[in-house]
Amino acid sequence: MAQDEKFDLEALARESSVRGGQPLTPERRPASLASAKDESFSKTNSFDERQPPSIERGQSLSSSENAEMSTQPTPRQDRPAIERVTSVTSSASAAGNHDYPEGGLRAWLVVLGGLAGMTASFGMMNSIGIFQAYVSQNQLKDYSEGTIGWIFSLYVFLSFFCGIQIGPIFDQRGPRLLVFTGSVLLVCSMMLLGICTAYWHFLVVFGIIGGTGTSLIFTPSVASVGHFFFKRRANATGIAAVGGSLGGIIFPLMAQSLFPQVGFAWTTRIMAFMFIGLLAIANLLIRSRLPPQPGGSALPDFRIFSDLKFALTTAGVFFIEFGLFIPIGYLTTYALAQGIPSAFSYQLLAIFNAGSVFGRWLPGYVADRIGRFNTMIMTILLCLVMVFALWLPAGGSIPMIVIYSVLFGFGSGSGISLTPVCVGQQCKTENYGRYYATCYTIVSVGTLTGIPIAGQILARNNGEYWGLIVFTGACYSAALIAFMAVRILAVGWKFKAIY
């Protein structure tokens, strides 16, 4: 009987410390435990230097909890104290009770599947500037840039907005049906694109069917990686996200070569056949691992925006995507307007995405060591500097445009590889799909309006691109402020803090 009372006392002590409550004292104990020995209680009130920083000195910590924490990696003692605090806090709050493989054949095959899926889906998204430039000079030459921009902004919008249901469904049902359905839609979109002639044809085939298909592939490709990695999640997600940049190199170069040889229709069909091979790999390899959250549902829950850090993170991602798709959509037409030869103008997106290959992987690798938000802030700052220091004064200077494309591509690459892990840092992994989808549902509004707004700015400036460029820089300035605010809320003004 005495041992039962001791067990109950330790359980209550553990519950008190985890909830952040005051330690139990003999005066504060329930009456039913009044007979327990004070010596037993005092043993459970010992302090372990390895405990999470949320448990303050003097709060109760059971011996079982000490044993459990002793199995966790001890923070490097040569780091500043604030670095250890931030690193342990983030791990304790987000990891939950799950053990992550952090590697192994099955985990890396999921990353490979995500890379294949992203090559088809996000590779197409990173190539929209090629199609926008082509149709604006051919099938839709009688329409304004702003009107044509709605086709491609609708595509990007649906690619993110459909996540409002896709993310929660992924949490509950897994990725298989989602990826298969998205594969069918994306291949059909590319097959039909070649026979489009009217404005509404492009709007339906590319904007609606293609955008929905991309979303069904994109969300599971990213979220499934988070089921197998926690400490190395930024690196693993960055490797999967490289697929989008690879597609953004391959497809523009293909189009630039095939348009004059086989025409628009057969160019899109050849791309569709490539999609079939890539998406077959994605369907075979993308898997989930963690069980559904007990009592969860497939309905979105916008109450999570009550968390100020998550709300600011979403705002930061919103402005990143708001500004990112402007150069993706208009870099080719900008070069053509400056008198740069058309062959090289079409290659600029490939150069842009070549820089993005390293920008999606390297920041993810670095982020696992110096902090995800720290790395994100640095890449946003790089993009901001490139816009005002290189693109704005570039004019028709090919060297400046090339340098801008490479460096901005590198900096903007983290917008795909790091935003998922920044969002995931605010929640438990079993809620990852829901948080990620809810974030990108808001972000999608920016992608819907960004390209058309840029087109209207271009029209108001009589074809001059300086207003469009300044607008891009303003978007990245707002994103920088939002991410810095999240970091300050989390760790204060401490410069060396890992977050």
Side-chain angles (χ1 to χ4, degrees):
M1 182 66 179
Q3 290 183 352
D4 291 341
E5 292 176 340
K6 181 179 178 180
F7 176 81
D8 291 341
L9 183 61
E10 291 181 348
L12 284 176
R14 181 167 60 253
E15 181 179 5
S16 173
S17 62
V18 170
R19 293 183 179 180
Q22 295 298 322
L24 292 175
T25 61
E27 293 78 6
R28 293 169 59 87
R29 297 180 204 167
S32 59
L33 299 179
S35 60
K37 292 183 179 181
D38 290 345
E39 290 80 0
S40 298
F41 174 78
S42 63
K43 292 179 181 178
T44 69
N45 207 26
S46 61
F47 178 77
D48 189 327
E49 290 294 333
R50 290 187 300 270
Q51 70 188 66
S54 59
I55 302 175
E56 298 179 0
R57 195 181 298 268
Q59 288 183 313
S60 57
L61 184 64
S62 67
S63 58
S64 63
E65 232 178 336
N66 279 329
E68 180 181 353
M69 289 178 183
S70 66
T71 65
Q72 303 296 325
T74 303
R76 288 176 52 185
Q77 296 300 318
D78 56 342
R79 292 182 181 179
I82 184 61
E83 293 183 309
R84 298 198 304 269
V85 165
T86 308
S87 179
V88 175
T89 302
S90 300
S91 300
S93 62
N97 297 320
H98 303 291
D99 294 323
Y100 294 82
E102 301 291 351
L105 179 61
R106 186 184 176 195
W108 287 113
L109 285 177
V110 170
V111 174
L112 177 60
L115 185 146
M118 294 282 279
T119 301
S121 59
F122 250 77
M124 189 69 253
M125 185 180 295
N126 288 331
S127 306
I128 59 175
I130 293 294
F131 293 95
Q132 183 171 350
Y134 186 90
V135 300
S136 66
Q137 294 179 339
N138 294 276
Q139 294 97 323
L140 303 179
K141 60 183 178 181
D142 295 329
Y143 292 85
S144 68
E145 286 285 351
T147 303
I148 296 172
W150 281 108
I151 297 171
F152 302 96
S153 64
L154 179 62
Y155 168 85
V156 179
F157 167 74
L158 289 176
S159 297
F160 293 129
F161 179 78
C162 290
I164 191 171
Q165 284 299 332
I166 293 171
I169 291 172
F170 171 87
D171 288 339
Q172 295 298 310
R173 307 299 181 193
R176 291 196 178 192
L177 182 60
L178 296 172
V179 176
F180 176 76
T181 306
S183 301
V184 172
L185 291 176
L186 194 58
V187 171
C188 288
S189 173
M190 290 306 297
M191 286 290 188
L192 294 172
L193 187 60
I195 61 175
C196 293
T197 56
Y199 181 85
W200 71 269
H201 294 168
F202 288 98
L203 196 68
V204 172
V205 170
F206 191 85
I208 297 176
I209 299 177
T212 304
T214 296
S215 183
L216 286 163
I217 299 166
F218 159 59
T219 302
S221 295
V222 173
S224 60
V225 174
H227 279 221
F228 292 85
F229 296 87
F230 179 73
K231 294 179 182 177
R232 303 169 67 185
R233 184 179 291 171
N235 184 35
T237 305
I239 293 173
V242 163
S245 296
L246 292 176
I249 297 171
I250 296 169
F251 301 144
L253 292 178
M254 279 183 59
Q256 184 260 333
S257 176
L258 292 176
F259 280 157
Q261 296 183 39
V262 299
F264 182 79
W266 268 106
T267 299
T268 58
R269 290 174 193 142
I270 292 170
M271 288 184 180
F273 286 123
M274 290 188 64
F275 285 3
I276 292 174
L278 290 167
L279 295 174
I281 297 173
N283 278 270
L284 289 172
L285 298 183
I286 293 177
R287 295 288 181 270
S288 58
R289 183 182 67 89
L290 300 178
Q293 185 182 14
S297 69
L299 296 175
D301 184 5
F302 288 98
R303 291 176 297 179
I304 58 180
F305 284 114
S306 61
D307 181 353
L308 182 57
K309 289 190 294 183
F310 176 73
L312 286 170
T313 300
T314 300
V317 179
F318 174 92
F319 285 110
I320 287 174
E321 303 295 349
F322 203 44
L324 170 62
F325 286 98
I326 295 174
I328 289 178
Y330 287 99
L331 189 58
T332 298
T333 59
Y334 169 82
L336 291 171
Q338 301 301 320
I340 296 174
S342 60
F344 186 78
S345 299
Y346 279 97
Q347 293 171 5
L348 279 176
L349 269 185
I351 296 172
F352 177 96
N353 284 299
S356 183
V357 168
F358 299 97
R360 298 193 183 196
W361 168 72
L362 186 59
Y365 179 81
V366 172
D368 287 332
R369 287 155 176 76
I370 70 170
R372 287 86 180 260
F373 278 79
N374 292 345
T375 308
M376 195 71 185
I377 289 170
M378 289 190 290
T379 57
I380 294 172
L381 184 60
L382 173 63
C383 290
L384 181 61
V385 171
M386 291 303 100
V387 168
F388 287 114
L390 290 179
W391 195 15
L392 185 60
S397 171
I398 293 179
M400 290 185 71
I401 295 173
V402 170
I403 295 172
Y404 164 77
S405 299
V406 173
L407 294 181
F408 186 87
F410 176 84
S412 64
S414 62
I416 300 300
S417 62
L418 286 185
T419 51
V421 291
C422 288
V423 172
Q425 192 164 321
Q426 312 299 326
C427 65
K428 293 183 179 179
T429 302
E430 56 265 35
N431 298 324
Y432 186 40
R434 183 183 303 277
Y435 270 66
Y436 186 70
T438 304
C439 169
Y440 268 89
T441 298
I442 304 300
V443 170
S444 63
V445 177
T447 63
L448 176 64
T449 57
I451 295 176
I453 288 175
Q456 291 300 318
I457 293 174
L458 188 61
R460 290 293 182 92
N461 288 326
N462 299 317
E464 296 291 330
Y465 279 78
W466 67 267
L468 180 151
I469 296 171
V470 171
F471 179 69
T472 303
C475 292
Y476 274 91
S477 299
L480 180 64
I481 293 171
F483 272 90
M484 289 184 65
V486 175
R487 188 184 185 278
I488 292 169
L489 286 173
V491 299
W493 293 93
K494 299 176 177 62
F495 180 75
K496 294 183 179 181
I498 295 178
Y499 185 73

